[in-house]
Amino acid sequence: MSIRYSVVVPVYNEELVIEESYRRLKAVMEQTGEAYELIFVNDGSRDKTEAMVSALCDRDACVRLLSFSRNFGHQIAITAGMEASSGQAVVVIDADLQDPPEVILEMIEKWKEGCDVVYGRRISRKGETAFKKLTAKIFYRLLKSLTNVEIPVDTGDFRLIDRKVCEVMNSLTEKNRYVRGLVSWVGFRQTEVLYHREERFAGETKYPLKKMLKFAVDGITTFSYKPLKLATYVGFLVSFLSFFYLLAVLYLKLFTDRAVSGWASTLSVSLIFNGVVLIMLGIIGEYIGRIYDETKNRPLYVIREKKGFNHEKS
């Protein structure tokens, strides 16, 4: 029987949640009464995650396992799962159960009504610090203001996409992936399902501040070149101010008896301008680094092991 639904679950050191995540996902997908597969993408886990998913494959023909040779990152794991999927509809959900699997049934209803993409939009975020909530809110709105692509605010990667959307996504070759932005970029008919995001079932977040900052930079640089324009504008502004500062120094030197201010003020101005220049060079460097990644043409990921893909639900 052909697969109706594929559920892609990226996992990294999630031994504490695998069993519960599998139980709830299976309970939800069984309610559809149609064929499905659960694709767990092991992103280089160092704990028992891989062994636990492998055991699930042995006892359930609906479970698939993709294991990377090392940690390639969350967005790459999602990409690998989408490429390995065979369902007419593909659902992406994290294993930590912050995104309730039960919402998938609502997404399926929207899909059956004719929507090609159904994304989950959070109306609350339980168990997260005020700092994380604030920074997330600022980031999503900043990204929206910087891009020409309509990327919905307060959404993650939790969504359902139609097979034709998945095929288009799989054809995109860029290395620095920002999946939720790419889904918006490809277009098609999209709608939302509102839900309350729960606390993590167990374990620790896999997105500490450092990774969140990188994720934000990836999102902005992938979908906007306005920071490069900002570098140009700031460059002109600094040059303009520097020119008038030079005129003021020359005037004091040539037409007054006052000595030019000492080295402290000159050094301060120099440090400020040099700092601005270095920031602008850093922004340019981010874009150049991404160009470099694209030109290397390396594969997005390396698969060490595949398990369960020779089974079909009967």
Side-chain angles (χ1 to χ4, degrees), residues 188-225:
F188 296 96
R189 185 181 177 189
Q190 307 198 11
T191 191
E192 66 181 23
V193 168
L194 303 178
Y195 73 100
H196 295 277
R197 196 167 202 230
E198 301 295 333
E199 292 185 47
R200 196 176 220 286
F201 179 77
E204 299 178 350
T205 178
K206 302 307 182 293
Y207 266 98
L209 181 60
K210 182 179 178 180
K211 284 190 175 181
M212 287 298 296
L213 289 173
K214 182 183 183 303
F215 188 60
V217 171
D218 284 342
I220 292 172
T221 54
T222 299
F223 286 93
S224 176
Y225 57 85

Side-chain angles (χ1 to χ4, degrees), residues 1 4-5 29-36 108 112 313:
M1 182 185 298
R4 180 70 161 166
Y5 305 110
M29 300 313 297
E30 287 291 334
Q31 292 180 50
T32 65
E34 299 176 280
Y36 65 90
I108 289 174
K112 289 183 175 179
K313 185 176 174 65

Side-chain angles (χ1 to χ4, degrees), residues 10-73:
V11 290
Y12 176 65
N13 294 340
E14 296 288 11
E15 64 179 4
L16 298 178
V17 302
I18 286 296
E19 286 290 344
E20 180 66 12
S21 181
Y22 162 74
R23 185 190 68 79
R24 285 180 60 180
L25 284 170
K26 186 171 181 64
V28 167
M29 300 313 297
E30 287 291 334
Q31 292 180 50
T32 65
E34 299 176 280
Y36 65 90
E37 61 182 355
L38 304 177
I39 304 175
F40 290 87
V41 185
N42 174 36
D43 188 20
S45 297
R46 301 172 187 171
D47 59 4
K48 298 178 182 178
T49 297
E50 181 179 9
M52 295 176 71
V53 177
S54 181
L56 293 176
C57 289
D58 291 336
R59 73 174 193 249
D60 189 341
C62 297
V63 179
R64 325 282 193 238
L65 169 64
L66 280 179
S67 276
F68 286 168
S69 61
R70 64 170 177 84
N71 179 256
F72 283 90

Side-chain angles (χ1 to χ4, degrees), residues 13 15 22 24 28 33 41 53 65 76 78 89 132 134 138 151 176 188 216 246 262 267 293 299 302 311 314:
N13 294 340
E15 64 179 4
Y22 162 74
R24 285 180 60 180
V28 167
V41 185
V53 177
L65 169 64
I76 304 302
I78 291 174
K132 186 168 184 178
L134 176 62
I138 292 173
I151 302 176
N176 292 285
F188 296 96
L246 175 62
L267 182 60
D293 282 340
V302 177
H311 297 303
S314 58

Side-chain angles (χ1 to χ4, degrees), residues 134-147:
L134 176 62
T135 53
K137 185 175 182 179
I138 292 173
F139 164 68
Y140 287 124
R141 282 149 184 81
L142 176 63
L143 180 62
K144 184 176 182 179
S145 68
L146 288 176
T147 66

Side-chain angles (χ1 to χ4, degrees), residues 237-251 273:
L237 176 62
V238 170
S239 298
F240 181 76
L241 295 175
S242 298
F243 175 73
F244 279 95
Y245 182 74
L246 175 62
L247 291 180
V249 171
L250 290 175
Y251 174 80
F273 287 167

